[in-house]
Amino acid sequence: MLPVGSIAPVTEQQQFDLVVIGGGPGGYAAALYGASAGLSVALVEKDKVGGTCLHRGCIPAKELLETAAVVRIAKSAGDFGIELELKSFNWARVAERKQQVIDTLFKGVSGLLKGRKVTVFAGTGSLGADHVVEVVGNDGEQATLKGTHVVLASGSSPRNIPGFEPDGSRILNSDSFFDMSAVPRSAVVIGGGAIGCEFASTLSDLGSQVTILEALPKILPGCDGDVTRVVLQSFKKRGIEVRTGTAVTGVQVADDHSRVVQLSEGDPVVCDVVVVSVGRVPVTEGLLREGTAVNITDRGHIEVDDTCRTAEPGVWAVGDAINTPQLAHVAFAEAIVAVKDMLGESPAGVDAAKVPWAIYCHPEVAFAGLSEDAAKEAGYQVVTSKHRFAGNSRAQVLGETEGLVKIIAEQRPDGTAGTLLGVHMVGPWVTEQLAAGYLAVNWEATVDEVAEFLQPHPSLTELFGESVLSMTGRSLHG
Ligand code: NAI
């Protein structure tokens, strides 16, 4: 009998109601939710439970952004009449604090799994015929598990650009970024997506000279144009150079060991460090053995339907390994859908078009639903409302007035604003303010309905309330 709720030696065969491969947000959520529904659960993880998000992604990225925010706030202390002298960083302490946050959360998720009696196998799992998962233990031992149900949650890894392979010191990706031993004097960030903008914002606030190189005509693909403009203005003000429509063609080592990044157009950029953040690819190699009907697409994603069912009955796949938004909270939601489905509860799938997005660069970005351009492309007649934080009392108190809230609603035949299609925010703490907008969009609420809700005064969320209220044709401050 295996020890329950602890790291099990991978030597025995066992039958479980649910076997999960991968212990990131998708996998551990499936395990926890399944166990809370009374299933006996095995979780196979070759590294540490928590996955990319906890150990090499969301959590360390946000922790470093908070360190950057402390620097920014300290620099503006004089505005409040507080005289501070900012001397230097203790980088060892910066790294230590980041690791403490990770370790605390790691203990938390490990404790939850233990508390729910999930048996964790430390090894690499692969699925074969008849729901049999073979585990090659990290200690070389093997085990065979059989699940009445199986969830595949093998995650993703950073995409590389040929010629820019990460070396851990001068060319970094989103894994090695967190192991930097000091703040570089200058950095080129390749890719202006969520990760690129978060890294660029962090580095700039910590004192690096940053250049973002983005192949597309604009950074932050998927964001509303008005939101992107605010981010661009802020980046420019803080000295971050953004070059769009620029492809990188190669990188050379200069005599002083700095890197010279060659571009398809214009002068090369010289920098201490290159950070590659050009998306993530699913990790599915070696996941399947002979005999399973699960299908993997040419791009490496596990093929699933709306409720995360694979082509093999009784096998689901969730998280970054499937072709849905690569967000931890989407993986959580997909895991719940998969478990409900195996319990016969006929869940609705996750509507990818309406999930909440939160990008934690400074200024923060948060949105749910369609951008103005996407709504028009989808054939909607739209009414929009845009209000700036400069007019918000709490933002004035904070001294953080950069940013706006933009609401996109469907236009009714009489010209008035009807159902909310999208809520887009950029500015102070908007990642914490999106909830009301997310609910409104997903409830398909109308402007009239949402305008009835109160927002506390003074608060940043009043800007959302004011923006909606003004779409009724009447307003207070907006
Ligand atoms: P991304 O797909 O969001 O952005 C990558 C960017 O790199 C794109 O704008 C793309 O046009 C550009 N690019 C691709 N190849 C290039 C090249 N050779 N030269 C210059 N630019 C190039 O991917 P990102 O930012 O790496 O994030 C990966 C995933 O992680 C995303 O799907 C994102 O959803 C998720 N994520 C979300 C976060 C959040 O919501 N706060 C934070 C971090 C990651």
Side-chain angles (χ1 to χ4, degrees):
M1 183 73 181
L2 293 168
V4 163
S6 61
I7 304 284
V10 283
T11 50
E12 304 186 22
Q13 286 194 16
Q14 274 204 53
Q15 168 83 39
F16 292 87
D17 295 332
L18 169 60
V19 176
V20 181
I21 301 183
Y28 80 67
L32 289 175
Y33 193 78
S36 73
L39 302 179
S40 63
V41 183
L43 176 65
V44 186
E45 168 57 53
K46 63 179 187 293
D47 195 352
K48 286 180 170 170
V49 292
T52 299
C53 174
L54 176 52
H55 299 284
R56 301 173 295 282
C58 329
I59 301 303
K62 268 80 264 181
E63 202 284 336
L64 277 186
L65 277 156
E66 211 46 46
T67 302
V70 170
V71 176
R72 242 187 2 260
I73 290 167
K75 281 184 182 162
S76 67
D79 297 343
F80 292 78
I82 315 236
E83 304 301 331
L84 287 185
E85 195 187 344
L86 204 61
K87 285 189 189 148
S88 62
F89 300 119
N90 174 351
W91 191 256
R93 175 60 197 142
V94 170
E96 186 186 38
R97 185 179 190 279
K98 168 173 63 65
Q99 197 54 45
Q100 280 169 350
V101 171
I102 294 170
D103 291 347
T104 303
L105 295 171
F106 172 59
K107 268 193 207 129
V109 75
S110 305
L112 281 172
L113 289 164
K114 192 173 175 187
R116 304 235 179 122
K117 304 196 183 333
V118 172
T119 309
V120 179
F121 288 83
T124 303
S126 60
L127 176 69
D130 302 326
H131 297 184
V132 170
V133 172
E134 296 288 351
V135 183
V136 177
N138 293 343
D139 56 5
E141 300 274 358
Q142 304 217 355
T144 304
L145 314 177
K146 189 161 163 115
T148 310
H149 313 285
V150 175
V151 169
L152 305 173
S154 47
S156 64
S157 62
R159 188 161 84 79
N160 284 331
I161 308 177
F164 288 80
E165 284 76 17
D167 60 14
S169 61
R170 295 292 189 144
I171 303 199
L172 307 174
N173 63 10
S174 59
D175 287 347
S176 47
F177 181 82
F178 300 111
D179 299 327
M180 273 186 315
S181 54
V183 179
R185 275 169 308 164
S186 58
V188 158
V189 175
I190 306 177
I195 296 183
C197 286
E198 288 185 0
F199 285 175
S201 184
T202 302
L203 288 171
S204 169
D205 287 339
L206 294 177
S208 289
Q209 175 59 50
V210 181
T211 306
I212 298 176
L213 303 174
E214 166 58 53
L216 293 176
K218 81 186 220 352
I219 60 166
L220 293 175
C223 289
D224 190 273
D226 283 311
V227 166
T228 310
R229 262 188 291 284
V230 172
V231 175
L232 276 173
Q233 278 162 8
S234 172
F235 278 9
K236 193 172 171 192
K237 212 163 68 190
R238 282 146 66 209
I240 300 174
E241 191 184 346
V242 179
R243 293 204 205 168
T244 53
T246 306
V248 292
T249 54
V251 58
Q252 271 110 40
V253 182
D255 291 343
D256 65 353
H257 303 294
S258 58
R259 295 297 186 266
V260 184
V261 180
Q262 307 288 343
L263 308 176
S264 54
E265 274 173 36
D267 293 336
V269 191
V270 181
C271 58
D272 279 350
V273 161
V274 178
V275 185
V276 180
S277 50
V278 293
R280 300 182 62 86
V281 289
V283 174
T284 48
E285 215 182 306
L287 182 64
L288 304 179
R289 297 190 322 279
E290 285 289 299
T292 163
V294 174
N295 192 32
I296 293 183
T297 67
D298 293 346
R299 298 181 60 198
H301 295 106
I302 303 169
E303 218 163 50
V304 290
D305 70 6
D306 288 350
T307 48
C308 299
R309 290 181 188 189
T310 68
E312 165 117 20
V315 179
W316 288 257
V318 301
D320 283 9
I322 66 174
N323 193 11
T324 53
Q326 292 172 314
L327 298 166
H329 48 275
V330 170
F332 293 151
E334 288 167 347
I336 292 173
V337 166
V339 173
K340 281 186 165 176
D341 198 29
M342 68 187 70
L343 295 170
E345 295 174 2
S346 308
V350 178
D351 184 352
K354 289 183 180 169
V355 302
W357 287 84
I359 303 167
Y360 300 75
C361 58
H362 180 77
E364 289 187 350
V365 172
F367 65 95
L370 298 173
S371 67
E372 183 175 352
D373 286 349
K376 287 176 179 167
E377 272 165 35
Y380 288 105
Q381 298 286 328
V382 299
V383 185
T384 66
S385 158
K386 205 164 55 181
H387 287 76
R388 294 189 181 272
F389 278 105
N392 174 273
S393 50
R394 188 82 199 280
Q396 287 291 344
V397 170
L398 293 172
E400 295 229 21
T401 53
E402 201 172 46
L404 55 85
V405 170
K406 178 172 175 180
I407 315 284
I408 294 121
E410 187 173 9
Q411 190 178 50
R412 294 190 183 115
D414 65 1
T416 59
T419 305
L420 269 78
L421 299 172
V423 172
H424 297 259
M425 302 177 159
V426 55
W429 291 104
V430 294
T431 57
E432 298 293 337
Q433 295 181 59
L434 182 65
Y438 165 75
L439 284 179
V441 167
N442 278 270
W443 236 308
E444 298 176 4
T446 64
V447 161
D448 293 331
E449 287 164 340
V450 180
E452 304 244 341
F453 294 135
L454 300 187
Q455 306 293 336
H457 176 77
S459 72
L460 296 168
T461 58
E462 279 180 289
L463 200 62
F464 170 71
E466 292 278 358
S467 302
V468 176
L469 183 63
S470 73
M471 293 180 103
T472 64
R474 299 179 196 155
S475 63
L476 288 181
H477 310 94

